[in-house]
Amino acid sequence: MAWKEPSAHVRDLIRRCAQVVVNAQPEWLAELDAGVLGANPTIASDPELAAAVSVSNRANMYFWGTANVRDPGAPVPPNTGPEPMNIARELVRRGLNAYVLDAYRVGEGVAWRRLMEIAFELTSDPAELHELLDVCSQSISAFIDATLAFLAAQMELERDELTRGTHAERRETIALILEGAPIPRRRAEDRLGYALTGSHTAAVIWSVNPDRDLARLDRTAEAFGLAAGGARPLSVLASTATRWVWAHGGGTVDTDTLLRSISTMPDVRIAIGPTADGMDGFRRSHFDALSTQQMMARLHSPQQMAMFADIELVALITADADRAAAFVNHVLGAFESASTEMHDTVRTYVVEQCNASRTATRLYTHRNTLLRKLSRADELLPRPLAESSVDVAVALDVLRWRGGQPANLPTIRAR
């Protein structure tokens, strides 16, 4: 449709709408993210990709807004900046197709509803509203169409780049192993430069801030290899800000040393799978590490590191976030809002098999002080701790990974 310049007064209204869009309220941006991410669980369950989409949402809104502040009602060119370029790169490196971009249509709908609210606040004249909304509707739709077309073309370029060279061969080999394809072990080892015999511990290492120096992820992968047994790890570029890593070792990861190595990098996260043997163990440990990463992302966990053995039960319980929240509230009642110290006391008491003397020793507190705290906990809990200790411990573990407890507390492990 040929572009027709709107009337001078409507151009002024469009400029005023765009100024509001440029300075969008945080709740608008949150609604936009929720719409786009909710439309595609594949994106929402990947913390790095979800963060990149959130950045892209803001960039697109700002791009359209500033264009209409400069020249209200004029056609807006596609956003070809670094944010959509990053989206194209991340989608291709995950093996995703352009169809996932349809989620942006949901974002278009969210943005359009907000813009209509702004328009009705600026004028109540029917003729002005008709022209204003007609121009903005065409403008937003054309802008999204052009930007998505650019993204699709960029994805083709990225895919062509990714299918050349050693990196592509290693990714292809990893994909075959993870899919259980009948690739000969020695051929896979030659391609990867990594022995697939013995025990393997997998990790997913990523940054929640893709704009930071990502060379730190490679250093963290090396640190993981040392912590897992000292051998040089196999590290594969899963995406710009994510590394899939495997290390040989006897099953014990020096988590204290590993945490110290990333203590100065608060945006770095590590999810670690269990140690397992052979190619089957190579696969299983990786998938468990991915499950751990997804749980950390789902709960927006502040913890920098998690091991599958520590979160297996929590991961199962929190697969449905609403039901998990209801479980925590049902089990803990008023105790849910108790202090971190009280949560720590009760969790440790359960870990020590409800032995007051051992718990007091572990917490460096007097036994009588401990008993008073446990009595207070009983007053707040819907059911006495003696009748609900396992459920209470699990609920407190959910709180810990959701951000309610410090990282060094004992964990109730799945049996």
Side-chain angles (χ1 to χ4, degrees):
M1 184 179 295
W3 176 73
K4 181 181 178 181
E5 183 174 350
S7 63
H9 185 61
V10 169
R11 277 174 54 85
D12 181 63
L13 290 174
I14 293 173
R15 177 182 285 110
R16 290 163 64 188
C17 278
Q19 288 170 338
V20 176
V21 170
V22 168
N23 298 287
Q25 298 294 317
E27 57 267 26
W28 298 3
L29 300 174
E31 182 184 13
L32 183 61
D33 286 347
V36 175
L37 297 177
N40 195 311
T42 300
I43 296 175
S45 64
D46 183 321
E48 181 188 349
L49 187 55
V53 167
S54 179
V55 171
S56 178
N57 285 337
R58 286 152 174 74
N60 286 337
M61 181 177 285
Y62 187 80
F63 189 95
W64 184 89
T66 54
N68 277 280
V69 169
R70 289 192 304 269
D71 192 359
V76 180
N79 181 5
T80 60
E83 297 85 3
M85 293 278 283
N86 186 45
I87 291 293
R89 186 179 307 115
E90 298 304 332
L91 291 175
V92 170
R93 289 181 175 179
R94 287 162 171 78
L96 299 174
N97 296 318
Y99 79 90
V100 301
L101 298 175
D102 289 343
Y104 278 93
R105 296 296 182 188
V106 178
E108 178 184 351
V110 172
W112 173 238
R113 287 194 300 273
R114 284 294 185 180
L115 192 138
M116 283 194 293
E117 292 177 3
I118 298 169
F120 276 91
E121 290 176 359
L122 292 178
T123 181
S124 58
D125 182 272
E128 290 179 351
L129 275 172
H130 182 276
E131 185 180 1
L132 171 61
L133 294 177
D134 183 56
V135 172
C136 288
S137 174
Q138 292 183 47
S139 176
I140 292 174
S141 180
F143 168 66
I144 294 296
D145 285 346
T147 299
L148 292 185
F150 167 76
L151 278 170
Q154 190 62 33
M155 287 179 68
E156 289 303 314
L157 295 175
E158 291 287 343
R159 190 172 287 111
D160 181 64
E161 179 69 24
L162 197 61
T163 53
R164 298 197 301 265
T166 304
H167 172 71
E169 184 177 77
R170 294 176 75 187
R171 280 294 305 269
E172 179 187 18
T173 303
I174 291 292
L176 291 172
I177 295 172
L178 296 179
E179 291 167 6
I183 181 173
R185 177 178 58 80
R186 291 196 175 182
R187 181 184 300 172
E189 289 176 337
D190 288 342
R191 287 183 174 186
L192 297 174
Y194 177 87
L196 293 168
T197 53
S199 298
H200 311 277
T201 306
V204 178
I205 298 172
W206 75 102
S207 171
V208 295
N209 185 354
D211 295 331
R212 298 291 299 275
D213 172 20
L214 298 178
R216 297 168 310 136
L217 298 181
D218 299 315
R219 295 196 295 270
T220 302
E222 294 293 332
F224 169 72
L226 291 172
R232 184 176 181 82
L234 167 64
S235 180
V236 176
L237 183 70
S239 65
T240 303
T242 301
R243 306 290 183 267
W244 290 349
V245 187
W246 289 263
H248 290 290
T252 301
V253 178
D254 186 350
T255 54
D256 290 339
T257 299
L258 190 54
L259 274 173
R260 284 196 296 271
S261 73
I262 61 172
S263 61
T264 58
M265 302 179 284
D267 61 302
V268 172
R269 302 287 185 270
I270 307 177
I272 303 173
T275 301
D277 294 333
M279 291 180 69
D280 183 60
F282 182 94
R283 284 190 291 269
R284 190 167 66 253
S285 184
H286 172 70
F287 289 132
D288 287 345
L290 283 179
S291 296
T292 305
Q293 180 200 31
Q294 289 166 1
M295 186 218 72
M296 295 173 75
R298 185 167 61 244
L299 298 183
H300 303 286
S301 177
Q303 314 294 352
Q304 278 195 275
M305 185 175 69
M307 300 186 71
F308 181 74
D310 291 342
I311 61 88
E312 185 174 5
L313 186 56
V314 174
L316 289 171
I317 291 173
T318 58
D320 185 321
D322 290 338
R323 294 186 66 181
F327 168 79
V328 170
N329 182 261
H330 173 73
V331 170
L332 298 183
F335 189 61
E336 181 178 355
S337 58
S339 68
T340 298
E341 181 185 6
M342 287 290 286
H343 290 171
D344 182 6
T345 297
V346 171
R347 292 184 71 261
T348 306
Y349 179 66
V350 176
V351 168
E352 293 297 338
Q353 301 178 335
C354 300
N355 184 298
S357 297
R358 286 204 304 266
T359 304
T361 299
R362 182 164 181 170
L363 293 176
Y364 303 101
T365 189
H366 194 279
R367 190 173 184 276
N368 290 342
T369 302
L370 170 65
L371 293 176
R372 283 196 297 271
K373 290 182 179 179
L374 294 175
S375 177
R376 176 56 180 160
D378 269 339
E379 293 174 5
L380 297 172
L381 288 166
R383 294 169 56 208
L385 185 58
E387 299 175 9
S388 60
S389 60
V390 173
D391 286 350
V392 168
V394 172
L396 289 175
D397 235 10
V398 172
L399 284 186
R400 172 197 173 190
W401 290 104
R402 204 172 64 188
Q405 296 277 351
N408 60 349
L409 295 183
T411 298
I412 308 303
R413 296 175 183 250
R415 299 293 185 185

